[in-house]
């Protein structure tokens, strides 16, 4: 005879060490099994899209930094590319190459933070996170060298970059690129075969191929579910068509696969950077663009492959100095919409693993 | 099912990595005793404004995305624009550096190379200001008005957007320079 039991409500967050910021989840539990999940967000809502409508195009670049603060360079790039499309600006070659180097470094840095926090959520408290942050620190040092800050870089400008890379940047970058594959191997040895890690992630939180596509997920979440889709390959922007690299795709779509895709993507990013250093041309880094940009009336949408997925900007201009509409396509937010479907049926202890494997940044979810 | 099908081989492999790092040289720095050199382009915690070279065009104030710069200008007797009042509200400033870039003379406004705004004791801040509480003083420190913004002792200009300053600043210390331990480990452990 089955016991008649009542469902139990469990609130997690908004302030919880594993919710990566201020995200709140309301679980409905049947014993230990999750039967429903209500994600609640908006605690970090700053109204950036509305604020942006009241500022000039250039003044909005710092706001894109504050969306996904672990991947500011790619947000910068997506926004600058959208404005460049709107205003018809061409970017000098050297600037394109430097942008590629920056966004690939950013991809590595973001995945390192993503994997580190994922392992922290698994209960491997602090040690793996500090391994990851050791390398992230080296990358952040380089960003600091070119743009003066370790977060919120604000480095890209319409038609190029705010300033050229300093002379000691390329030697330091070469040294880093030589050392990085060794570090990635080290993580591989440290984590990928660890039995506890495998038991907790293999087959946990499976996102099926169909659901991944129909929910418009992107980035490692999508590629972990056996979908070969990467904007760098399928719709090459900037100078990505000049590099050789592979798109790692995993088959099952479980938490382990999402981790695995991130790890492999870092190796590919190192490959891209190596080629970009070799091909880096000399020349200007900034096209002639008027300080107070007035793009012609119209609209433009540009999306690029950010570390967490497809980050896009939709801009509507009415011909004045301020955008009429400034809309972000936030990859973390859209990846997060799959959470409810993949978490139902798992135990509470697995919830944080699945949540961590999606790798979100609340700054971008809430905007 | 016994979960450790391979009897913990992977864990042993991971532990081997940990043990290799065991006993190697530290790579962390014991701040405040040891300090690193910051990037030469650091967007530091002050903005240095030079009254003598400023042509009062207000381009910096217009560039600021948060409206932190307040500037009042007037025409003097010789019909030249001069700045009557300039203040930067550092509780609004997001240190984006956009005010540095449009300055036409290029030597009137700088980010500073300074990054420390802390003292050891709360009371250190209010030394010599008996009438205000430490927290008041903290706010006052952040809002630097007018001529106080000029170069004070020990404040260096950052090379952010100012390539001329670049060579004058010390070389940035990178964590990357400390990866010697990798080679050492490789020698020791193969
Ligand atoms: S650094 Fe940015 S926020 Fe601060 S005063 Fe300059 S423009 Fe304004
Ligand atoms: S942009 Fe330069 S010259 Fe113009 S008001 Fe500001 S500091 Fe002075």
């Amino acid at each position: 005879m089955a016991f008649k039991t009542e469902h139990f409500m469990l609130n997690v967050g908004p302030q919880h060490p594993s919710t990566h910021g201020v995200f709140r989840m309301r679980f409905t539990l049947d014993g230990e099994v999750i039967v429903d999940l209500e994600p609640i967000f908006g605690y970090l809502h700053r109204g950036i899209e509305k604020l942006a409508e009241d500022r000039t195009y250039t003044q909005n670049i710092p706001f894109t930094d504050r969306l996904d603060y672990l991947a500011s360079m790619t947000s910068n790039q997506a926004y600058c590319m959208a404005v460049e499309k709107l205003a018809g600006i061409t970017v000098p070659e050297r600037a394109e190459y430097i942008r590629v180097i920056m966004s690939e470094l950013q991809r590595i840095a973001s995945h390192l933070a993503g994997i580190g926090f994922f392992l922290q959520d698994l209960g491997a408290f602090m040690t793996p996170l500090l391994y990851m942050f050791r390398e992230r620190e080296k990358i952040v040092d380089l960003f600091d060298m070119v743009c003066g800050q370790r977060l919120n870089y604000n480095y890209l400008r319409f038609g190029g970059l705010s300033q050229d890379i300093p002379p000691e940047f390329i030697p330091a970058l070469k040294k880093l690129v030589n050392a990085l594959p060794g570090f990635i191997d080290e993580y591989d040895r440290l984590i990928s075969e660890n039995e506890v890690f495998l038991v907790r992630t293999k087959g946990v939180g499976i996102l099926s191929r169909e659901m991944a596509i129909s929910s418009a997920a992107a980035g490692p979440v999508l590629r972990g579910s056996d979908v070969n889709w990467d904007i760098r390959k399928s719709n090459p922007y900037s100078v990505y068509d000049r590099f050789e690299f592979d798109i790692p795709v995993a088959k099952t779509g479980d938490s382990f696969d999402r981790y695995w895709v991130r790890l492999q993507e870092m190796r590919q990013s190192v490959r891209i950077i190596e080629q970009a250093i070799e091909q880096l041309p000399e020349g200007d880094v900034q096209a002639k663009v008027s300080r107070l940009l007035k793009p012609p009336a119209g609209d433009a949408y540009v999306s690029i492959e950010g570390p967490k997925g497809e980050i896009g900007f939709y801009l509507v201009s009415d011909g004045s100095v301020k955008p009429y509409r400034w809309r972000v396509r936030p990859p973390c937010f859209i990846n997060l919409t799959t959470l409810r479907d993949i978490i139902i049926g798992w135990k509470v202890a697995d919830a944080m693993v699945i949540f961590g494997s999606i790798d979100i940044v609340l700054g971008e979810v809430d905007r | 099912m016994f979960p450790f099908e391979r009897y913990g081989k992977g864990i042993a492999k991971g532990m081997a990595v940990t043990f290799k790092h065991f006993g190697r040289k530290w790579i962390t720095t014991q701040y405040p005793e040891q300090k690193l050199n910051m990037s030469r382009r650091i967007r530091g915690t002050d903005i240095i404004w030079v009254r003598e070279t400023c042509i009062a065009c207000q381009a910096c104030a217009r560039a600021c995305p948060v409206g932190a710069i307040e500037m009042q200008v007037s025409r003097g007797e010789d019909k030249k624009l001069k700045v009557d009042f300039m203040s930067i509200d550092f509780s609004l400033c997001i240190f984006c550096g956009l005010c540095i870039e449009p300055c036409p003379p290029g030597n009137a406004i700088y980010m500073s190379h300074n990054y420390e705004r802390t003292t050891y004791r709360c009371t250190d801040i209010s030394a010599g200001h008996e009438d205000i509480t430490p927290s008041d003083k903290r706010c006052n420190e952040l809002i630097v008005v007018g001529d106080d913004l000029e170069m004070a002792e020990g404040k260096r200009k950052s090379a952010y957007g100012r390539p001329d300053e670049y060579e004058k600043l010390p070389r940035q210390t990178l964590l990357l320079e400390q990866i010697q331990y990798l080679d050492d480990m490789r020698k020791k452990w193969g």
Side-chain angles (χ1 to χ4, degrees):
Chain A
M1 194 193 86
F3 283 114
K4 190 175 169 294
T5 54
E6 271 180 14
H7 284 174
F8 178 76
M9 282 279 227
L10 177 70
N11 178 66
V12 177
Q15 275 95 9
H16 185 275
S18 288
T19 53
H20 303 216
V22 278
F23 180 61
R24 183 171 158 214
M25 293 183 276
R26 206 151 64 193
F27 294 113
T28 310
L29 305 175
D30 181 9
E32 221 186 333
V33 179
I34 299 165
V35 293
D36 198 9
L37 163 74
E38 192 190 341
I40 302 160
F41 36 79
Y43 292 95
L44 203 62
H45 178 69
R46 293 150 293 173
I48 288 187
E49 286 181 3
K50 193 70 196 165
L51 287 174
E53 288 168 15
D54 204 30
R55 283 167 173 77
T56 64
Y57 287 89
T58 316
Q59 287 177 346
N60 283 329
I61 304 175
F63 287 101
T64 62
D65 291 334
R66 284 152 178 83
L67 294 170
D68 181 351
Y69 39 79
L70 292 177
S72 302
M73 283 286 184
T74 43
S75 312
N76 274 190
Q77 194 185 0
Y79 175 58
C80 288
M81 281 172 64
V83 174
E84 281 153 13
K85 187 174 171 191
L86 199 60
I89 302 165
T90 45
V91 183
E93 238 196 24
R94 183 178 168 83
E96 288 282 20
Y97 274 92
I98 296 170
R99 282 181 179 191
V100 166
I101 291 173
M102 292 302 160
S103 62
E104 292 308 315
L105 281 176
Q106 184 70 83
R107 193 179 315 279
I108 299 173
S110 165
H111 283 345
L112 284 170
I115 295 175
F117 282 117
F118 173 45
L119 287 156
Q120 172 135 333
D121 291 349
L122 265 165
F125 197 66
M126 276 298 170
T127 312
L129 182 69
L130 289 177
Y131 267 84
M132 306 294 162
F133 266 56
R134 190 188 56 191
E135 267 59 72
R136 184 176 173 275
E137 192 63 35
K138 291 174 185 134
I139 297 172
V140 167
D141 265 354
L142 290 186
F143 285 154
D144 191 12
M145 187 197 280
V146 297
C147 70
Q149 254 176 30
R150 300 158 46 82
L151 275 173
N152 298 339
Y153 309 115
N154 188 17
Y155 182 49
L156 273 55
R157 293 288 178 276
F158 313 132
L161 310 166
S162 69
Q163 43 206 320
D164 200 355
I165 48 176
E168 66 254 40
F169 178 75
I170 290 290
L173 180 65
K174 279 185 180 153
K175 202 170 168 190
L176 177 73
V177 166
N178 285 337
L180 266 178
F183 290 125
I184 299 172
D185 288 341
E186 200 175 90
Y187 309 141
D188 215 357
R189 261 177 296 162
L190 189 70
I191 305 158
S192 298
E193 286 178 42
N194 186 315
E195 278 81 1
V196 180
F197 178 68
L198 290 180
V199 168
R200 296 229 31 211
T201 57
K202 275 264 184 197
V204 174
I206 295 180
L207 176 66
S208 67
R209 189 169 192 274
E210 290 70 41
M211 199 195 292
I213 295 172
S214 59
S215 64
V221 177
L222 182 70
R223 289 192 284 279
S225 299
D226 197 18
V227 185
N228 192 345
W229 172 259
D230 189 314
I231 303 172
R232 288 176 294 169
K233 272 270 194 253
S234 58
N235 182 15
Y237 54 91
S238 193
V239 286
Y240 274 107
D241 46 354
R242 302 184 197 171
F243 306 121
E244 250 179 59
F245 60 101
D246 304 321
I247 307 295
V249 177
K251 286 272 176 283
T252 38
D254 55 14
S255 303
F256 180 81
D257 280 356
R258 290 191 275 275
Y259 153 78
W260 184 86
V261 166
R262 286 193 186 105
L263 199 68
Q264 302 305 323
E265 257 179 32
M266 291 199 278
R267 293 183 205 274
Q268 299 304 326
S269 294
V270 174
R271 261 177 86 189
I272 297 175
I273 298 171
E274 275 170 353
Q275 297 169 43
I277 297 174
E278 248 163 51
Q279 300 175 13
L280 184 69
E282 290 297 318
D284 261 349
V285 293
Q286 176 70 46
K288 274 259 166 292
V289 179
S290 106
R291 282 229 178 268
L292 208 59
L293 192 65
K294 275 190 195 162
D299 59 348
Y301 177 73
V302 168
S303 65
I304 67 168
E305 187 70 29
K308 300 191 172 69
E310 175 188 341
I311 171 148
F313 279 87
Y314 177 66
L315 304 175
V316 182
S317 160
D318 55 1
S320 70
V321 294
K322 292 170 185 175
Y324 178 76
R325 179 80 171 99
W326 196 90
R327 160 85 188 148
V328 195
R329 185 222 186 261
C332 298
F333 175 63
I334 290 170
N335 290 348
L336 191 62
T337 55
T338 60
L339 180 70
R340 181 174 176 272
D341 296 297
I342 60 179
I343 222 168
I344 285 176
W346 292 95
K347 302 234 164 77
V348 183
D350 296 319
M352 284 308 165
V353 179
I354 300 169
F355 178 64
S357 74
I358 294 180
D359 182 20
I360 61 158
V361 163
L362 257 297
E364 196 183 60
V365 173
D366 292 344
R367 277 159 288 144
Chain B
M1 187 195 78
F2 183 59
F4 297 173
E5 278 135 27
R6 291 175 305 140
Y7 308 103
K9 224 182 187 168
I11 295 183
K13 217 169 158 185
M15 285 307 274
V17 175
T18 315
F19 275 113
K20 277 184 190 173
H21 280 276
F22 190 74
R24 68 156 163 76
K25 227 179 114 227
W26 284 8
I27 55 167
T28 45
T29 311
Q30 304 303 312
Y31 182 82
E33 282 79 32
Q34 292 173 304
K35 283 179 188 171
L36 300 174
N37 286 335
M38 289 293 114
S39 156
R40 299 198 237 200
R41 284 182 183 172
I42 185 175
R43 285 181 250 153
T45 50
D46 300 290
I47 292 172
I48 296 164
W49 176 66
V50 186
R51 183 182 283 276
E52 284 72 39
T53 45
C54 178
I55 57 167
C57 66
Q58 300 192 56
C60 49
R62 275 197 302 271
C64 181
V66 291
I69 303 180
E70 196 187 335
M71 199 176 232
Q72 284 165 9
V73 299
S74 64
R75 289 215 181 263
E77 258 139 53
D78 50 351
K79 294 277 187 288
K80 268 175 106 182
L81 280 176
K82 66 172 180 47
V83 181
D84 296 330
F85 175 75
M86 152 82 161
S87 91
I88 298 176
D89 187 345
F90 284 106
S91 58
L92 280 177
C93 177
I94 55 175
F95 300 99
C96 62
L98 286 180
C99 53
I100 310 300
E101 284 158 37
C103 183
N107 58 357
I109 191 163
Y110 298 86
M111 301 301 289
S112 85
H113 195 261
N114 174 34
Y115 62 96
E116 289 169 308
R117 277 217 170 267
T118 45
T119 51
Y120 276 101
R121 277 177 210 84
C122 205
T123 45
D124 286 357
I125 309 173
S126 63
H129 298 263
E130 289 85 18
D131 50 334
I132 45 177
T133 61
S135 69
D136 282 349
K137 178 61 188 158
R138 235 185 164 80
C139 281
N140 279 355
E141 279 255 302
L142 287 171
I143 305 164
V144 190
V145 180
D147 295 326
D148 296 349
L149 277 171
E150 282 182 32
M151 280 271 285
E153 278 288 309
K155 269 188 193 169
R156 271 184 302 198
K157 298 169 186 165
S158 149
Y160 183 83
R162 300 279 180 268
D164 305 347
E165 303 289 322
Y166 199 75
E167 291 305 321
K168 296 182 200 159
L169 292 166
R171 208 175 147 18
Q172 181 189 4
T173 35
L174 299 170
L175 187 61
L176 197 60
E177 284 153 9
Q178 306 201 20
I179 54 172
Q180 184 55 38
Y181 71 87
L182 263 190
D183 296 333
D184 297 348
M185 267 165 54
R186 225 171 266 139
K187 257 182 237 144
K188 202 162 152 198
W189 304 98

